[in-house]
């Protein structure tokens, strides 16, 4: 037996409650566990309890004393026979109770309902009730919204105890051999009546008459036959109170369906619908539909045709030609829809989740495609979830729908390849192209009058500026695309709402928002934000928006929960509101000031300190000493080059500087202090030889020549000769054979031109300056000794 819609609805409620449970402890599923009684180990936090498909034959007082928070209870399919009147004494919050498919026998003896005053949904279907007489305890269910019951006999007065209960839905499950007394439902006050037929149950005229005269909405479920009787009764009923009439889960022949629809269209009904419909014997020829009707809408959901040999055009023509304002055929495998033969009054069309192609509404005459021109009254067109592919072709299909305002083409496979121009009706203000395969080029194929544009879940990476201006656009949805930055609003001067959630924005450029003077709502949540300097302006905008003091007046949606850093790693998954990016690290000017001012101050301080402590002089002298030591190690003279050398150095000086030479130079270089052998003319010139011969002889016997430079030195003729001969020897012994000691400052202009070699050496070589500060003189002598030190072989022993 097919499960009725009421039972399915109850199961759906159970699933919904399960998903809405705040924690696993709230929902307890003990179904299909061979239980014979209510478990005693139920958690005290239980709110949703499923005990279905067990063997619980009785419910006792105290079974639910621990579950005081219980809101939903399912005890269906248990063979339940008896329920103690005190069973639900401890569950004052109980709202949903399912006792269907059990062995309860008397609807007038359900005393346990006295303790369920908060019940919203009660299901007592498929029990063993012989009569529909509801006991007085039902009158306490003042909050009850949905009641599902079934019995073999329904008589006048059976529902008198729920006269004051304002039900939303009453579901009657009719059993085979039903007896219904006319007027039995007059005591029921419900918005909707559902009648579920059994296997062999036929339509009861009295029940149908009461349904049509007492309830605003009537739904008949599980019908297998009797459609002609239903059509006849609808035709004969003069006054119908019902405004909405639906058939659910039906199998019907095409001829019966069209007769029923034509009859229903000719009544005072406002809304007619069928769902879960299986159509047998589909048409081979066109079936006429009446031309005028008071019905506002016709809905067909989940309709299928079981035959493959029929005229699709005949079937489609019937539905598109209905004289109603709204037609919806959804979740049906229709592959085409024809154009009405004459001007149609339809204002809303919904063909969602079918198999429609780009040829919709068009026809081919000869080799020419003829577009539909008989839907000029259409305002809303919904084609969600079909097989539409080319946007430019679709624009041509709708070009003559001069009243079309709302167009929904979402969840298709639509592309725009710019191969041809788009032709849209000028009336379109709201277009939904979400969940397609559109790229940046789509902005070249949009209705110029668009006010609300939905392009979410496509492949758009940038909003091009070279497009026609959408001057009326107020809402733009670009969620779940590939944008890397905010779009400029030059082409959308009236943009009020911009949605960019789940794109590729790393650091939105806030200055772009200056081009959006009307923007009031912005959503850029769930983007891969890079939390570096470029994001500071956006964070500031967001915080100001949160405090409602943003100068731009922009509301930032989903702030701060939807805004996280993805880079750098140290702040990954931190919210933008919780991070701090110092301004000094982002401003070049501040950064320069922050670095250069302290550095400059430090440099000036160090320079002054070094100047006061003569650090440059010490550094220079240490550098010279290091170089001298290095040269001594790296440039070892060959033994044959030292043959004949008796002295480490020959000292050349002016006679005016003799006191400094005798008292300072020689004591620090010779003897135990210096350990060097120094040749100078006062001691080592040989009498009888000319001065020139002595100079040449001394220079040749010395490894190096030391020149004590002063103003007197450059005035001495003999000092000039000594320098001349030492310079020639320098060619043989190397550049380090001459050592210059500057006894006093000696400007270049004081050096005569004949001392050009001296000028050259002073420009190219570092010379040693005699310091007047006694603290520096030790380092001076150490440098000079290092520059002169050489191992002389076979030298005479000094006395």
């Amino acid at each position: 037996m097919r499960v009725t819609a009421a039972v399915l609805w109850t199961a759906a409620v159970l699933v919904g409650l399960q998903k809405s449970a705040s924690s696993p402890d709230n929902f307890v599923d003990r179904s299909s566990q061979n239980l014979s009684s209510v478990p005693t180990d139920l958690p005290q936090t239980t709110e949703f309890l499923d005990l279905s498909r067990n063997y619980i034959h009785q419910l006792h007082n105290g079974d639910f004393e621990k579950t005081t928070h219980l809101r939903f209870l399912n005890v269906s399919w248990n063979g339940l026979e008896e329920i103690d009147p005190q069973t639900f004494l401890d569950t004052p919050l109980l709202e949903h109770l399912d006792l269907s498919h059990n062995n309860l026998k008397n609807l007038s003896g359900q005393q346990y309902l006295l303790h369920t005053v908060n019940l919203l949904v009660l299901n007592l279907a498929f029990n063993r009730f012989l009569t529909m007489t509801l006991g007085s305890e039902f009158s306490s269910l003042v909050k009850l919204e949905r009641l599902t019951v079934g019995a073999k006999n329904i008589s006048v007065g059976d529902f008198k105890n729920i006269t004051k209960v304002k039900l939303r839905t009453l579901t009657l499950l009719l059993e085979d051999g039903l007896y219904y007394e006319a007027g039995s439902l007059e005591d029921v006050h419900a918005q909707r009546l559902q009648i579920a037929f059994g296997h062999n149950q036929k339509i009861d005229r009295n029940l149908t008459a009461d349904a049509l005269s007492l309830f605003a909405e009537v739904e008949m479920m599980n019908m297998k036959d009797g459609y002609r009787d239903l059509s006849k009764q609808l035709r004969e009923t003069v006054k119908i109170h019902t405004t909405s009439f639906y058939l659910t889960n039906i199998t019907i022949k095409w001829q019966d369906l069209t007769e029923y629809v034509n009859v229903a269209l000719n009544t005072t009904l406002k809304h007619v619908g069928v769902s879960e419909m299986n159509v047998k014997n589909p048409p081979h020829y066109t079936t006429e539909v009446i031309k005028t009707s008071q019905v506002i809408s016709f809905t067909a959901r989940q309709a299928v045709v079981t035959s493959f040999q029929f005229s699709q055009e005949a079937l489609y023509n019937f539905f598109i030609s209905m004289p109603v304002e709204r037609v919806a055929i959804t979740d049906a495998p229709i592959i085409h829809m024809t154009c009405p033969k004459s001007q149609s009054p339809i204002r809303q069309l919904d063909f969602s989740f079918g198999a429609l192609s780009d040829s919709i509404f068009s026809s081919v005459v000869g080799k020419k495609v003829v577009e539909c021109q008989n839907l000029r009254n259409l305002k809303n067109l919904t084609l969600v979830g079909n097989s539409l592919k080319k946007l430019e072709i679709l624009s041509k299909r709708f070009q003559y729908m001069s009243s079309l305002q709302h167009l929904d083409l979402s969840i298709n496979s639509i592309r725009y390849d710019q191969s041809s121009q788009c032709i849209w009706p000028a009336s379109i203000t709201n277009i939904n192209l979400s969940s397609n395969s559109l790229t940046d080029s789509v902005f070249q194929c949009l209705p110029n009058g668009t006010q609300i544009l939905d392009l979410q879940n496509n492949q758009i990476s940038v909003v091009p500026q070279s497009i026609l201006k959408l001057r009326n656009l107020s809402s733009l949805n670009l969620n779940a695309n590939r944008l890397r930055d905010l779009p400029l609003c030059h082409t959308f001067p009236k943009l009020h709402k911009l949605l960019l959630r789940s794109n590729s924005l790393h650091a939105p450029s806030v200055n772009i928002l200056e081009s959006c003077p009307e923007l009031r709502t912005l959503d850029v949540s769930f983007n891969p934000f890079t939390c570096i300097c470029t994001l500071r302006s956006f964070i500031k905008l967001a915080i100001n928006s949160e405090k409602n003091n943003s100068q731009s007046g922009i509301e930032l949606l989903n702030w701060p929960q939807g805004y996280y850093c993805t880079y750098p790693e140290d702040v990954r998954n931190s919210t933008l509101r919780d991070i701090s990016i110092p301004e000094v690290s982002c401003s070049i000017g501040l950064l320069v000031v922050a670095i250069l001012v302290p550095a400059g101050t430090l440099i000036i301080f160090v320079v002054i300190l070094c100047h006061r402590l003569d650090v440059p002089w010490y550094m220079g002298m240490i550098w010279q000493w290091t170089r001298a030591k290095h040269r001594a190690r790296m440039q070892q003279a060959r033994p044959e080059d030292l043959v004949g050398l008796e002295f480490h150095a020959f000292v050349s000086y002016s006679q005016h500087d003799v006191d400094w030479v005798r008292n300072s130079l020689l004591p620090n270089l010779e003897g135990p202090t210096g350990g060097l052998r120094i040749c100078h003319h006062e001691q080592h010139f040989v009498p009888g030889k000319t001065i020139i011969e002595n100079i040449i002889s001394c220079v040749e016997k010395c490894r190096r020549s030391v020149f004590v430079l002063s103003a007197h030195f450059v005035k001495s003729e003999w000092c000039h000769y000594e320098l001349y001969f030492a310079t020639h020897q320098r060619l043989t012994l190397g550049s380090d054979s001459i050592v210059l000691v500057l006894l006093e400052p000696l400007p270049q202009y004081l050096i005569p031109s004949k001392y050009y070699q001296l000028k050259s050496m002073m420009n190219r070589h570092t010379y040693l300056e005699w310091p007047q500060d006694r603290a520096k003189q030790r380092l001076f002598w150490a440098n000079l000794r290092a520059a002169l030190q050489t191992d002389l072989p076979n030298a005479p022993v000094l006395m």
Side-chain angles (χ1 to χ4, degrees):
M1 182 179 69
R2 187 182 179 97
V3 181
T4 66
V7 176
L8 290 175
W9 177 86
T10 303
V13 170
L14 174 61
V15 174
L17 291 174
Q18 179 179 4
K19 292 182 178 179
S20 65
S22 57
S23 69
D25 291 338
N26 289 357
F27 183 87
V28 179
D29 185 0
R30 297 292 179 88
S31 62
S32 303
Q33 295 186 5
N34 296 321
L35 299 175
S36 59
S37 61
V38 177
T40 59
D41 60 345
L42 297 174
Q44 293 183 353
T45 58
T46 301
E47 295 183 33
F48 313 108
L49 177 60
D50 187 355
L51 296 173
S52 62
R53 299 185 182 277
N54 284 292
Y55 301 98
I56 303 174
H57 295 165
Q58 293 182 339
L59 293 179
H60 305 93
N61 180 19
D63 281 349
F64 304 102
E65 62 180 353
K66 294 182 179 179
T67 56
T68 56
H69 299 287
L70 192 64
R71 291 172 49 203
F72 178 92
L73 177 62
N74 184 1
V75 200
S76 62
W77 299 94
N78 269 277
L80 190 62
E81 297 176 353
E82 184 179 348
I83 303 178
D84 189 282
Q86 307 297 319
T87 296
F88 301 110
L89 183 65
D90 302 311
T91 58
L93 302 179
L94 189 63
E95 296 178 347
H96 298 256
L97 179 60
D98 188 348
L99 298 173
S100 63
H101 295 90
N102 282 295
N103 295 325
L104 300 176
K105 296 178 180 180
N106 190 354
L107 272 171
S108 61
Q110 311 299 314
Q111 298 297 317
Y112 56 87
L113 294 177
L114 293 172
H115 302 292
T116 59
V117 294
N118 288 314
L119 267 186
L120 301 177
V121 178
L122 174 61
N123 188 352
L124 291 167
F126 298 106
N127 278 278
R128 296 186 177 184
F129 302 132
L130 293 177
T131 64
M132 191 66 78
T133 306
L134 303 182
S136 59
E137 58 273 10
F138 280 86
S139 62
S140 64
L141 306 179
V142 293
K143 296 183 179 181
L144 194 65
E145 297 179 356
R146 298 177 182 270
L147 174 62
T148 304
V149 291
K152 287 185 176 296
N153 296 285
I154 304 177
S155 304
V156 173
D158 283 349
F159 295 98
K160 64 180 181 180
N161 286 319
I162 60 169
T163 301
K164 297 182 180 180
V165 180
K166 305 298 182 182
L167 294 173
R168 183 181 301 172
T169 303
L170 172 64
T171 302
L172 298 178
L173 287 94
L174 306 185
E175 301 182 18
D176 296 341
L178 170 74
Y179 168 78
Y180 178 84
E181 183 180 359
S184 297
L185 294 176
E186 290 182 355
D187 294 324
V188 177
H189 294 87
Q191 174 69 20
R192 187 183 187 97
L193 174 65
Q194 291 179 326
I195 302 174
F197 291 88
H199 274 303
N200 301 314
Q201 183 65 39
K202 295 184 179 180
I203 289 179
D204 187 290
R205 290 185 63 86
N206 291 332
L207 175 58
T208 304
D210 282 353
L212 294 174
S213 62
L214 297 173
F215 300 94
E217 299 178 17
V218 176
E219 181 180 3
M220 292 185 172
M221 302 179 292
N222 308 334
M223 288 182 64
K224 298 296 186 292
D225 200 357
Y227 299 107
R228 292 191 177 184
D229 294 337
L230 176 60
S231 299
K232 182 179 179 181
Q233 189 168 358
L234 283 173
R235 185 184 295 112
E236 294 174 352
T237 304
V238 177
K239 186 176 181 180
I240 298 178
H241 174 73
T242 301
T243 58
S244 302
F245 193 82
Y246 304 102
L247 299 178
T248 301
N249 187 27
I250 64 172
T251 299
I252 188 170
K253 296 179 180 179
W254 174 257
Q255 184 178 356
D256 294 339
L257 174 63
T258 54
E259 180 183 359
Y260 158 73
V261 171
N262 275 322
V263 170
L265 291 176
N266 204 30
T267 64
T268 58
L269 293 171
K270 299 302 180 183
H271 307 284
V272 177
V274 291
S275 60
E276 301 176 55
M277 177 176 63
N278 185 354
V279 180
K280 300 171 64 176
N281 302 331
H284 293 276
Y285 305 99
T286 299
T287 305
E288 295 296 331
V289 63
I290 66 172
K291 303 300 180 183
T292 59
S293 173
Q294 298 182 48
V295 173
I296 296 174
S297 69
F298 174 82
T299 303
R301 185 177 63 86
Q302 294 182 2
V304 296
V305 178
T306 56
S307 176
F308 294 99
Q309 296 181 354
F310 68 98
S311 171
Q312 293 188 10
E313 185 176 355
L315 187 145
Y316 300 146
N317 281 339
F318 180 83
F319 292 110
I320 199 64
S321 300
M322 288 184 179
V324 297
E325 291 187 8
R326 301 196 293 268
V327 173
I329 302 177
T330 62
D331 296 289
I334 57 175
I335 61 175
H336 183 63
M337 182 50 63
T338 56
C339 181
K341 300 300 181 182
S342 59
Q343 202 60 238
S344 173
I346 297 176
R347 293 175 177 270
Q348 296 183 21
L349 274 177
D350 186 353
F351 297 136
S352 298
F353 302 103
L356 294 169
S357 65
D358 293 347
S359 64
I360 183 172
F361 301 130
S362 66
S363 60
V364 179
V365 179
K367 295 183 178 181
K368 184 178 180 181
V369 177
V370 179
E371 306 296 352
C372 182
Q373 300 188 35
N374 292 330
L375 288 169
R376 295 185 183 275
N377 293 312
L378 188 63
K379 289 187 175 182
N380 290 45
L381 177 58
T382 302
L383 299 172
V384 176
N386 282 277
S387 299
L388 308 177
K389 296 185 182 303
K390 293 189 177 182
L391 190 59
E392 62 272 21
I393 293 179
L394 292 172
S395 70
K396 296 177 182 178
R397 299 290 177 263
F398 313 139
Q399 61 180 307
Y400 296 112
M401 301 177 186
S402 54
S403 299
L404 187 61
Q405 296 178 355
H406 304 275
L407 177 61
D408 192 343
L409 301 175
S410 58
I411 316 178
N412 280 279
S413 302
I414 299 175
R415 297 176 179 271
Y416 176 58
D417 57 9
Q418 308 179 57
S419 60
S420 60
Q421 200 171 17
C422 296
I423 306 173
W424 296 100
S427 57
I428 294 180
T429 58
N430 185 335
I431 183 168
N432 188 340
L433 293 167
S434 62
S435 300
N436 280 287
S437 302
L438 296 165
T439 60
D440 309 344
S441 61
V442 66
F443 288 96
Q444 301 176 21
C445 181
L446 292 174
N448 291 338
T450 303
Q451 297 178 11
I452 300 175
L453 177 59
D454 191 341
L455 287 168
Q456 66 176 315
N457 194 24
N458 278 284
Q459 300 174 23
I460 299 170
S461 58
V462 66
V463 178
Q465 295 303 300
S466 58
I467 60 174
L468 295 175
K469 289 189 176 182
L470 301 177
R471 295 187 177 278
N472 297 320
L473 188 66
S474 62
S475 176
L476 177 58
N477 189 341
L478 290 169
N479 291 338
N481 276 278
R482 302 176 180 179
L483 275 79
R484 294 183 176 274
D485 206 346
L486 302 174
L488 288 168
C489 298
H490 297 310
T491 52
F492 320 126
K494 294 184 179 180
L495 190 65
H496 188 272
K497 185 176 184 179
L498 179 60
L499 306 179
L500 298 168
R501 184 175 65 248
S502 301
N503 274 271
S504 299
L505 280 72
H506 294 279
S509 303
V510 175
N511 57 338
I512 291 180
L513 297 179
E514 297 176 0
S515 66
C516 309
E518 301 294 326
L519 189 64
R520 294 296 176 268
T521 303
L522 176 65
D523 186 0
V524 287
S525 57
F526 302 103
N527 275 277
F529 294 106
T530 301
C531 296
I532 56 177
C533 292
T534 51
L535 198 63
R536 287 190 76 256
S537 299
F538 176 76
I539 296 176
K540 182 179 180 180
L541 172 72
I543 294 176
N544 289 337
S545 173
E546 183 181 19
K547 296 178 180 178
N548 295 321
N549 62 355
S550 174
Q551 296 181 355
S552 60
I554 296 176
E555 177 190 3
L556 197 64
L557 301 183
N558 298 317
W559 174 269
Q561 293 83 2
Y563 297 79
Y564 291 88
C565 298
T566 58
Y567 180 85
E569 285 296 328
D570 57 336
V571 293
R572 188 179 181 86
N573 296 328
S574 300
T575 63
L576 267 58
R577 187 175 64 175
D578 296 334
I579 68 165
S580 176
I581 304 176
E583 184 176 0
V584 68
S585 65
C586 301
S587 172
I588 295 178
L590 290 177
L591 189 61
V592 169
V593 170
I595 294 176
L596 293 186
V597 169
T601 303
L602 179 61
I603 291 172
I604 294 173
F605 174 76
V606 171
V607 169
I608 294 175
L609 184 63
C610 290
H611 180 72
R612 289 291 182 91
L613 300 177
D614 287 330
V615 172
W617 185 89
Y618 282 105
M619 294 300 294
M621 294 300 289
I622 293 173
W623 172 244
Q624 291 184 37
W625 180 83
T626 304
R627 288 183 61 190
K629 287 293 185 181
H630 178 71
R631 283 197 302 268
R633 287 195 304 268
M634 301 300 295
Q635 299 179 2
Q636 293 291 339
R638 295 175 298 176
E640 57 269 24
D641 294 335
L642 300 178
V643 174
L645 296 181
E646 300 178 3
F647 300 95
H648 289 92
F650 168 71
V651 179
S652 175
Y653 54 91
S654 171
Q655 193 62 32
H656 293 84
D657 302 322
V658 65
D659 292 336
W660 180 82
V661 173
R662 289 177 180 172
N663 299 327
S664 297
L665 180 65
L666 294 178
N668 281 282
L669 296 182
E670 294 181 327
T673 303
L676 301 176
R677 296 192 295 276
I678 303 302
C679 177
H680 53 95
H681 65 272
E682 290 187 354
Q683 183 175 354
H684 297 99
F685 273 20
V686 178
K689 290 186 177 181
T690 64
I691 295 177
I692 298 298
E693 289 178 334
N694 277 306
I695 292 174
I696 294 173
S697 177
C698 285
V699 169
E700 289 178 349
K701 294 179 180 180
C702 297
R703 180 71 178 88
R704 293 178 175 84
S705 297
V706 178
F707 293 91
V708 181
L709 303 180
S710 65
H712 300 292
F713 180 90
V714 297
K715 295 178 182 180
S716 170
E717 189 70 22
W718 296 114
C719 288
H720 172 67
Y721 285 120
E722 292 172 350
L723 179 62
Y724 175 79
F725 290 120
T727 303
H728 281 279
Q729 189 188 33
R730 175 170 168 266
L731 298 176
T732 303
L733 298 179
S735 60
D736 62 341
S737 63
I738 295 179
V739 179
L740 303 179
V741 176
L742 191 61
L743 193 59
E744 60 185 9
L746 186 63
Q748 291 278 335
Y749 66 86
L750 293 179
I751 302 176
S753 58
K754 64 180 179 180
Y755 281 89
Y756 66 90
Q757 292 176 327
L758 178 60
K759 287 184 178 182
S760 177
M761 284 188 289
M762 291 184 70
N763 290 330
R764 293 198 308 265
H765 296 83
T766 303
Y767 46 82
L768 298 175
E769 297 183 62
W770 169 249
Q772 299 298 323
D773 188 351
R774 294 179 62 86
K776 301 177 182 179
Q777 291 177 3
R778 292 184 61 186
L779 186 56
F780 171 83
W781 296 121
N783 263 335
L784 184 56
R785 285 194 293 267
L788 301 178
Q789 185 66 50
T790 301
D791 293 332
L792 299 179
N794 304 321
V797 180
L798 293 177
M799 299 301 294

